[in-house]
Amino acid sequence: MSSVTKRISEIKQPRGGYVKSSQFEIHRIDDGHILTENENIHASVVGMAVDYLTRFAMGSELLEAFKISCMGAKMAEELFKQKNAMKKASKLLAGIKGIDEKAITNACKLVTYDVWFRNPMGAIMAKGADEINPDTETIQNIKIMVQRSVKFWENYGPIVKDGFTFEPNGYTETVNSGDGDYLTTDTLWDFKVSKSKPTNKHTLQLLMYWIMGQHSGQEIYKSIQNLGIFNPRLNEVYLLNINTISKEIITEVEKDIICY
């Protein structure tokens, strides 16, 4: 049994991938801002901070936006005896009141608790909240990327669902977990805060999400016609209509990768 991302790491894709990144239309957005190359915290922490702060900036309740972080803090304290984890997380959460320097610093520290929920064994070796101190350049990058993300949703939204899953019928014995980022009326979106353009692992992940959505039995997936990626670091949008993917590829991923 595997998550979507773990399953992708287990299989060998055909040359170029099941879905080539070159198949996607690219829309580049120029907002006049240039990000610095020099960030002093791990890219995964930056990515989560941008994601959750964007949700908060767009109106999500603070607890909802940082739900995984809070759940991780609870697991860290109750199951792994990390003293005062919940108290520290609550204090960090309370300090997020906007998208200013303190809020961004607190968000970066708070998202370090995610790993206790997603990968507890890896959490033992990961840097904790006390070790994460974003510098001025990193904070400015995060602020710009949050602003870009909010602007993106003004143009490509509205969001109809975030943190989507595939119950009751989308999971299989082979792929038994996995959740996506956002749905709009006709597009399944993934956020990638990466210095690199999408890879065939990213594009296969999107296709698997779409297929699992079709099998899920949920009405919301029936109108999804496009796969999309937004990268606020590169400020680029990638879009692909499902109809441009061959039925043979879709069937192969259904049967051989997800194993329906």
Side-chain angles (χ1 to χ4, degrees):
M1 296 190 293
S2 301
S3 66
V4 169
T5 50
K6 186 170 186 294
R7 179 61 178 150
I8 291 169
S9 72
E10 294 168 349
I11 59 102
K12 182 174 175 60
Q13 296 194 49
R15 187 176 180 84
Y18 284 104
V19 184
K20 296 177 176 63
S21 56
S22 59
Q23 292 175 245
F24 283 69
E25 292 178 12
I26 303 175
H27 303 270
R28 294 180 177 86
I29 304 167
D30 183 8
D31 61 358
H33 292 295
I34 298 173
L35 302 186
T36 177
E37 291 287 324
N38 305 313
E39 294 172 357
N40 72 329
I41 58 177
H42 196 275
S44 64
V45 173
V46 172
M48 287 186 288
V50 170
D51 185 2
Y52 299 168
L53 284 169
T54 298
R55 294 171 196 244
F56 172 56
M58 292 180 58
S60 287
E61 294 291 332
L62 204 52
L63 266 172
E64 182 62 25
F66 288 86
K67 177 173 63 177
I68 302 296
S69 306
C70 295
M71 290 164 67
K74 186 176 183 183
M75 286 183 67
E77 184 164 329
E78 293 182 353
L79 299 181
F80 298 95
K81 312 304 179 191
Q82 299 295 305
K83 194 175 179 182
N84 295 324
M86 292 169 67
K87 184 178 179 181
K88 287 181 182 177
S90 294
K91 187 175 180 181
L92 290 168
L93 194 70
I96 300 172
K97 300 184 186 300
I99 312 296
D100 56 15
E101 185 173 334
K102 182 181 179 183
I104 292 170
T105 300
N106 281 22
C108 291
K109 290 175 174 289
L110 183 56
V111 301
T112 62
Y113 289 107
D114 274 47
V115 70
W116 292 98
F117 179 80
R118 298 184 188 276
N119 179 20
M121 294 304 102
I124 307 295
M125 302 300 293
K127 285 187 176 182
D130 295 340
E131 300 172 271
I132 297 294
N133 294 291
D135 59 19
T136 302
E137 290 181 322
T138 305
I139 288 169
Q140 183 63 15
N141 275 8
I142 291 171
K143 186 172 186 177
I144 290 169
M145 286 190 279
V146 171
Q147 290 169 343
R148 285 175 173 178
S149 300
V150 171
K151 185 70 176 174
F152 165 80
W153 286 121
E154 287 175 1
N155 294 326
Y156 287 87
I159 297 165
V160 297
K161 180 79 173 172
D162 67 86
F164 56 85
T165 55
F166 307 103
E167 292 88 1
N169 303 317
Y171 297 106
T172 66
E173 288 187 10
T174 303
V175 181
N176 68 333
S177 65
D179 58 281
D181 289 343
Y182 299 96
L183 296 177
T184 53
T185 306
D186 62 359
T187 305
L188 189 155
W189 289 99
D190 198 30
F191 259 42
K192 297 290 184 192
V193 182
S194 169
K195 293 179 181 179
S196 306
K197 294 184 182 297
T199 67
N200 60 19
K201 288 188 176 183
H202 299 147
T203 59
L204 177 57
Q205 181 181 6
L206 280 173
L207 178 58
M208 288 175 69
Y209 284 163
W210 180 81
I211 291 170
M212 292 166 74
Q214 303 311 302
H215 282 264
S216 71
Q218 294 184 44
E219 192 71 25
I220 198 168
Y221 292 105
K222 290 183 179 178
S223 63
I224 301 298
Q225 300 170 358
N226 307 297
L227 305 179
I229 297 171
F230 175 59
N231 185 329
R233 185 181 291 283
L234 302 179
N235 215 11
E236 292 181 343
V237 182
Y238 307 85
L239 276 169
L240 181 68
N241 190 291
I242 289 291
N243 292 331
T244 64
I245 303 173
S246 74
K247 288 184 170 58
E248 290 77 13
I249 291 290
I250 291 172
T251 300
E252 188 172 340
V253 173
E254 275 181 322
K255 291 184 176 178
D256 297 344
I257 310 300
I258 310 173
C259 302
Y260 288 107

